Amino acid sequence: MNKIKDMCAGTTRLFLNQKILKALIFPIPPLNEQRRIISKVEDLFLACEELKTKIDKAKLIQKNLADSISSSLVN
């Protein structure tokens, strides 16, 4: 980040131009590592979806229990 900041110019506001952007080196992992990262991210998304489903089910159970308790107190 400091390298980019050092390359930016401007007196009142820093800016990037095409020359600066072309001079930057963006490290990219090897293709096998990219595939491993994608696989891991997909696994994590799946785990998040499974947790969301469990949370939704738990909320429904909680609501049903609260409704059941409320109706039993009224009767």
Side-chain angles (χ1 to χ4, degrees):
M1 188 67 177
N2 286 337
K3 181 180 179 181
I4 295 171
K5 201 174 200 179
D6 293 342
M7 296 172 76
C8 291
T11 54
T12 58
R13 195 164 108 186
L14 298 177
F15 69 92
L16 285 171
N17 59 31
Q18 191 172 14
K19 181 180 175 185
I20 295 169
L21 290 173
K22 284 183 177 181
L24 295 175
I25 297 172
F26 294 96
I28 299 174
L31 190 55
N32 284 340
E33 180 68 7
Q34 291 177 44
R35 288 184 177 132
R36 190 193 68 74
I37 292 168
I38 289 170
S39 177
K40 183 66 175 174
V41 170
E42 287 173 344
D43 290 346
L44 291 170
F45 276 131
L46 181 60
C48 287
E49 285 300 318
E50 290 171 355
L51 285 172
K52 184 183 178 306
T53 300
K54 288 179 181 180
I55 289 169
D56 290 343
K57 285 180 182 179
K59 285 180 180 178
L60 183 60
I61 291 169
Q62 179 187 17
K63 183 186 178 310
N64 290 339
L65 285 171
D67 290 347
S68 176
I69 291 169
S70 291
S71 67
S72 68
L73 291 176
V74 172
N75 294 333

